[in-house]
Amino acid sequence: MDNNFKMKNGSGPLCCKGCGRQDKQLNTYDWLADIPGNTDEQEMVEVQFKNTRKGFYKNSNKLKLAKGDIVAVEASPGHDIGVVTLTGRLVPLQMRKANLKPDVEIKRIYRKAKPVDLEKYEEAKAKEHDTMIRSRQIALSLNLNMKIGDVEYQGDGNKAIFYYIADERVDFRQLIKVLAEAFRVRIEMKQIGARQEAGRIGGIGPCGRELCCATWMTNFVSVSTSAARYQDISLNPQKLAGQCAKLKCCLNYEVDVYVESQKRLPSKEIALETTEGTYYFFKADILKGLITYSTDKSFMANAVTITARNAFEVINMNKRGEKPENLIDVNTRSDKPIDLVEQESLTRFDKRKSNNNRKKKKKTDSRPKENTPAPEKAPNKENVSKNKEEKGRNKGHNRKPNGPREKRNETAPTGNQSKNNTNEKAQTNP
């Protein structure tokens, strides 16, 4: 497979040799890997071993090494197996970053690892877990107040490094003798902290992401409770402690920002005098610059939230002997941030359709219906009396009149009625 990738602007190939498979916190990108002759300019090579152990070795045999090659390097005693992680001009910069002294003896690279070397390395690596469990039992039998967290065998299996944790100083001279007799190897003890152990084990933090000490952190800075005080975080040990049972490293990330923002706020001990009463400091939003004052020191009563600028104005007025009528309530101001994503609703078209349907319904309801009677009004005493008078007047009009008027009002007679009428006329007129 060709490892050259064409760039979009067509300026040349982009080499993928700069990326390598390494531990996360030890990852270094070689951005000079695609320059020809870069590896031949420096003899120094960076080699990585198990966990977070790195070393710098001299390529005295002029081997053609690239990132990812497995090499056998000098050790005391024997040799060790590691992976090349960096070559070329960037190696001296990494040595300067690691604060290596010039008097330090630099060991050399023997050769590229052979299949026999890899077999020995895998055999030694397979014994690490059983060795760790057994060494813990030995330390417990000797009544030593320590915890063995990890064991690392050398590539040739002649040496083992025991990483342990202890709160106090431990005399493990007897332990070394017992371990050397039990495992028949040279023993080296290294003390590590709780944070380094958590970085080796790994895990998920309360933020939902992988632990910082297991991904990118290499140097651990001490964390104190003052960092939580500056950020107004409650001093709850269950929430402030991480998986290593120490204070979380992320408490130091934003301390500088909070310290700078807190300088712009008035002192917590200053009370504000108004004509309504005295207001005491209750809480503050340091980043927004908002302060909440209360009329009682122990609990929140008649709370008012104002800006730091308004608080300084009131303090200056009190120094001059003046008292404002009341504190300005910031909650009445509409300074809410605008979310550009929520400006338009996804169902805005459905709302328009519903409005059109409502308008159509209103139009149809406003049209007069033929069959529906008009709603009757509630009868009043005056209307009832007027209706009675009108009915009395209409009685005279509804009476049938005598004479020809009666005929006019009658309808056309049917067949039988007309015959009866002719017979009556014949009897009256002889």
Side-chain angles (χ1 to χ4, degrees):
M1 182 178 177
D2 191 7
N3 290 332
N4 293 332
F5 300 94
K6 295 294 182 182
M7 300 179 72
K8 293 182 179 180
N9 56 4
S11 59
L14 179 65
C15 184
C16 66
K17 293 181 181 179
C19 299
R21 216 177 153 187
Q22 324 177 39
D23 284 347
K24 299 163 190 176
Q25 60 262 54
L26 299 181
N27 185 27
T28 53
Y29 177 74
D30 189 3
W31 48 277
L32 298 176
D34 56 347
I35 297 177
N38 179 43
T39 56
D40 300 333
E41 292 186 7
Q42 290 288 336
E43 290 185 351
M44 302 305 298
V45 178
E46 185 186 67
V47 181
Q48 177 182 320
F49 304 95
K50 183 189 171 184
N51 295 328
T52 57
R53 190 162 63 95
K54 266 188 178 183
F56 298 94
Y57 295 86
K58 187 182 292 184
N59 185 9
S60 57
N61 295 328
K62 303 294 181 181
L63 300 173
K64 291 185 178 180
L65 300 176
K67 196 168 187 176
D69 291 342
I70 302 174
V71 292
V73 299
E74 183 182 359
S76 57
H79 67 273
D80 201 353
I81 303 297
V83 181
V84 176
T85 55
L86 197 62
T87 58
R89 304 181 199 172
L90 294 183
V91 179
L93 299 178
Q94 289 293 107
M95 294 175 67
R96 192 185 305 170
K97 183 180 177 182
N99 295 323
L100 286 180
K101 297 179 181 180
D103 301 337
V104 176
E105 181 183 357
I106 297 175
K107 299 177 181 179
R108 59 194 180 90
I109 297 175
Y110 286 142
R111 61 186 180 275
K112 287 187 178 181
K114 298 178 181 179
V116 180
D117 299 330
L118 295 178
E119 288 178 4
K120 287 183 180 180
Y121 174 70
E122 293 296 334
E123 290 176 2
K125 193 175 180 181
K127 297 187 295 184
E128 291 176 352
H129 184 69
D130 295 335
T131 304
M132 180 184 67
I133 295 173
R134 190 176 173 188
S135 62
R136 286 180 179 178
Q137 296 174 355
I138 295 171
L140 185 62
S141 64
L142 295 175
N143 296 323
L144 296 177
N145 189 13
M146 61 184 295
K147 176 188 174 184
I148 298 176
D150 195 8
V151 177
E152 180 183 355
Y153 269 93
Q154 198 170 273
D156 56 358
N158 295 328
K159 180 182 174 182
I161 303 173
F162 290 80
Y163 297 94
Y164 71 96
I165 303 168
D167 297 331
E168 300 176 356
R169 189 171 181 178
V170 180
D171 186 8
F172 46 77
R173 287 177 291 182
Q174 184 65 26
L175 176 64
I176 293 175
K177 293 179 182 179
V178 176
L179 293 178
E181 292 177 0
F183 302 113
R184 301 291 180 181
V185 291
R186 186 175 179 180
I187 305 298
E188 182 181 350
M189 305 295 292
K190 274 192 176 181
Q191 186 175 3
I192 59 175
R195 290 189 174 92
Q196 292 174 337
E197 185 194 17
R200 289 171 178 271
I201 297 172
I204 304 298
C207 58
R209 303 185 65 180
E210 199 171 353
L211 296 178
C212 297
C213 55
T215 51
W216 60 272
M217 287 187 69
T218 55
N219 299 324
F220 297 96
V221 183
S222 61
V223 185
S224 61
T225 54
S226 60
R229 290 193 183 95
Y230 284 128
Q231 302 176 54
D232 280 345
I233 301 174
S234 62
L235 300 178
N236 187 355
Q238 294 180 353
K239 293 183 178 180
L240 296 181
Q243 294 187 5
C244 57
K246 302 290 183 180
L247 292 176
K248 295 178 183 176
C249 297
C250 55
L251 291 175
N252 284 341
Y253 294 170
E254 299 178 354
V255 174
D256 297 335
V257 179
Y258 275 89
V259 170
E260 291 295 327
S261 301
Q262 209 165 23
K263 293 179 181 177
R264 303 168 189 168
L265 301 180
S267 177
K268 299 179 181 180
E269 300 176 357
I270 299 176
L272 305 183
E273 298 288 342
T274 62
T275 55
E276 296 179 351
T278 305
Y279 286 87
Y280 303 96
F281 177 88
F282 189 78
K283 65 177 182 178
D285 191 337
I286 300 174
L287 297 181
K288 288 185 178 180
L290 301 179
I291 310 170
T292 302
Y293 286 92
S294 173
T295 55
D296 198 296
K297 290 183 178 181
S298 57
F299 59 91
M300 183 180 288
N302 302 323
V304 178
T305 303
I306 61 175
T307 59
R309 184 177 180 181
N310 293 337
F312 280 116
E313 291 177 359
V314 176
I315 291 170
N316 294 330
M317 291 177 68
N318 293 336
K319 288 181 180 179
R320 294 194 301 266
E322 302 175 359
K323 293 183 180 180
E325 295 182 359
N326 52 14
L327 299 179
I328 302 172
D329 191 358
V330 180
N331 294 328
T332 57
R333 297 169 56 188
S334 59
D335 292 341
K336 296 181 180 179
I338 299 173
D339 193 351
L340 299 176
V341 178
E342 294 182 356
Q343 281 184 353
E344 294 291 341
S345 176
L346 296 176
T347 58
R348 58 188 182 275
F349 300 110
D350 300 336
K351 289 180 180 179
R352 289 180 182 178
K353 290 181 181 179
S354 61
N355 292 332
N356 293 332
N357 294 332
R358 288 178 185 175
K359 290 179 181 179
K360 289 180 182 179
K361 287 181 181 179
K362 287 181 180 180
K363 288 181 181 180
T364 54
D365 294 340
S366 61
R367 293 177 184 174
K369 296 182 180 180
E370 297 177 355
N371 298 328
T372 57
E376 296 180 356
K377 294 181 180 180
N380 297 330
K381 293 181 179 180
E382 297 179 358
N383 295 332
V384 171
S385 60
K386 288 180 181 180
N387 292 333
K388 288 181 179 179
E389 292 177 359
E390 289 179 358
K391 287 180 182 179
R393 291 174 185 174
N394 292 332
K395 283 182 181 179
H397 295 290
N398 293 333
R399 292 176 183 174
K400 293 181 180 180
N402 296 327
R405 290 182 181 176
E406 187 178 356
K407 293 180 181 179
R408 291 176 185 174
N409 294 332
E410 291 178 357
T411 56
T414 58
N416 296 327
Q417 289 178 354
S418 62
K419 287 181 182 179
N420 295 328
N421 292 332
T422 52
N423 293 329
E424 288 178 357
K425 286 179 182 180
Q427 290 177 3
T428 54
N429 297 322

Short mmCIF file of all heavy atoms in Angstrom, two decimals, residues 335-345:
data_model
loop_
_atom_site.label_atom_id
_atom_site.label_comp_id
_atom_site.label_asym_id
_atom_site.label_seq_id
_atom_site.Cartn_x
_atom_site.Cartn_y
_atom_site.Cartn_z
N ASP A 335 -31.08 40.32 29.73
CA ASP A 335 -29.74 40.16 29.15
C ASP A 335 -29.46 38.69 28.87
O ASP A 335 -28.35 38.21 29.06
CB ASP A 335 -28.67 40.73 30.10
CG ASP A 335 -28.77 42.23 30.20
OD1 ASP A 335 -29.39 42.82 29.31
OD2 ASP A 335 -28.25 42.79 31.18
N LYS A 336 -30.47 37.95 28.46
CA LYS A 336 -30.27 36.53 28.20
C LYS A 336 -29.51 36.34 26.90
O LYS A 336 -29.74 37.06 25.93
CB LYS A 336 -31.61 35.81 28.12
CG LYS A 336 -32.38 35.84 29.44
CD LYS A 336 -33.69 35.09 29.30
CE LYS A 336 -34.46 35.11 30.61
NZ LYS A 336 -35.74 34.41 30.50
N PRO A 337 -28.61 35.38 26.83
CA PRO A 337 -27.89 35.14 25.58
C PRO A 337 -28.82 34.61 24.49
O PRO A 337 -29.79 33.90 24.77
CB PRO A 337 -26.84 34.09 25.97
CG PRO A 337 -27.40 33.43 27.18
CD PRO A 337 -28.19 34.48 27.91
N ILE A 338 -28.53 34.99 23.27
CA ILE A 338 -29.35 34.58 22.14
C ILE A 338 -28.76 33.32 21.54
O ILE A 338 -27.58 33.28 21.20
CB ILE A 338 -29.40 35.70 21.08
CG1 ILE A 338 -30.02 36.96 21.69
CG2 ILE A 338 -30.21 35.24 19.87
CD1 ILE A 338 -29.97 38.16 20.78
N ASP A 339 -29.58 32.31 21.44
CA ASP A 339 -29.16 31.05 20.83
C ASP A 339 -29.57 31.07 19.36
O ASP A 339 -30.76 31.07 19.04
CB ASP A 339 -29.80 29.87 21.55
CG ASP A 339 -29.14 28.57 21.16
OD1 ASP A 339 -28.32 28.58 20.22
OD2 ASP A 339 -29.45 27.54 21.78
N LEU A 340 -28.59 31.12 18.47
CA LEU A 340 -28.90 31.22 17.05
C LEU A 340 -29.58 29.98 16.52
O LEU A 340 -30.32 30.03 15.55
CB LEU A 340 -27.61 31.48 16.26
CG LEU A 340 -26.86 32.77 16.61
CD1 LEU A 340 -25.57 32.84 15.83
CD2 LEU A 340 -27.73 33.98 16.31
N VAL A 341 -29.33 28.85 17.16
CA VAL A 341 -29.94 27.60 16.69
C VAL A 341 -31.43 27.58 16.98
O VAL A 341 -32.23 27.09 16.19
CB VAL A 341 -29.24 26.40 17.35
CG1 VAL A 341 -29.88 25.09 16.90
CG2 VAL A 341 -27.77 26.40 16.99
N GLU A 342 -31.84 28.17 18.11
CA GLU A 342 -33.24 28.12 18.51
C GLU A 342 -34.04 29.32 18.03
O GLU A 342 -35.17 29.50 18.45
CB GLU A 342 -33.32 28.02 20.03
CG GLU A 342 -32.76 26.72 20.57
CD GLU A 342 -32.91 26.63 22.07
OE1 GLU A 342 -33.39 27.63 22.66
OE2 GLU A 342 -32.57 25.59 22.66
N GLN A 343 -33.46 30.17 17.19
CA GLN A 343 -34.22 31.31 16.70
C GLN A 343 -35.39 30.87 15.82
O GLN A 343 -36.46 31.45 15.86
CB GLN A 343 -33.30 32.24 15.91
CG GLN A 343 -32.45 33.13 16.79
CD GLN A 343 -31.64 34.10 15.98
OE1 GLN A 343 -31.60 34.02 14.75
NE2 GLN A 343 -30.96 35.01 16.65
N GLU A 344 -35.19 29.87 15.01
CA GLU A 344 -36.23 29.35 14.14
C GLU A 344 -36.64 27.98 14.63
O GLU A 344 -35.81 27.12 14.86
CB GLU A 344 -35.74 29.27 12.68
CG GLU A 344 -35.45 30.63 12.06
CD GLU A 344 -36.72 31.43 11.83
OE1 GLU A 344 -37.81 30.81 11.81
OE2 GLU A 344 -36.64 32.65 11.68
N SER A 345 -37.94 27.79 14.75
CA SER A 345 -38.44 26.50 15.22
C SER A 345 -38.61 25.56 14.03
O SER A 345 -38.93 26.00 12.91
CB SER A 345 -39.78 26.68 15.93
OG SER A 345 -40.32 25.44 16.28
#
